[in-house]
Amino acid sequence: MGTEQLQQRFLQGEQQLYSEQQQQLQRPPPPPQQQQHYAHTGGGMAGGAYSRAGVLKHEKKARHCVLDGQRFSIYKGRGDTKPQLVLLLRTDVQRVWPSNQTTFSLILDPNRPGAKQPKKPGPQPPEKLEFTAETPHELNLWVETLQSAIAAARRG
């Protein structure tokens, strides 16, 4: 085999390798395996839809939580059809507060419908719901998605 033939074969191999690499770059990434899913669609603009679902611990019990657009729902289990609690992000939640590496709180608006009435007059500590994620990474995903969804809900 001559030098020209070797060079031609080498170039064909390089072109094939380059072509395979380009195809791999154009494929969408595989879905995450850790939780059900999280996604942000709509570019964060008004009307954009934020969604996330997965298991968080609330009141020391594993609960299936779903963020769907401007609604955060807490279910007893994944198969349940009736939520235990539904919070509207625009009116019911003031902010998301990460407490530590795996815990965050939803600080609730004291003027929301169904809010607990204070027993004593004067300033009251804010009502909050505390959630625990399995990992710091999972906590960050929930906090970032919830913060973006709350901001989008308020923009409106």
Side-chain angles (χ1 to χ4, degrees), residues 10-27:
F10 176 76
L11 288 175
Q12 286 174 342
E14 287 291 308
Q15 287 174 339
Q16 184 177 357
L17 181 62
Y18 177 76
S19 174
E20 289 172 3
Q21 288 173 342
Q22 290 294 76
Q23 288 174 350
Q24 284 180 345
L25 290 174
Q26 292 174 355
R27 287 186 197 135

Side-chain angles (χ1 to χ4, degrees), residues 6 10 21 25 32 34 37 50 57 61 66 73-74 85 102 113 117 120 129 132 135 140 146-147:
L6 284 174
F10 176 76
Q21 288 173 342
L25 290 174
Q34 200 171 30
H37 79 285
Y50 291 83
K57 283 191 179 175
K61 296 179 183 173
V66 177
S73 305
I74 303 168
L85 178 67
T102 58
Q117 297 302 315
K120 302 180 206 172
L129 300 176
T132 303
T135 66
N140 288 335
L146 281 163
Q147 286 174 336

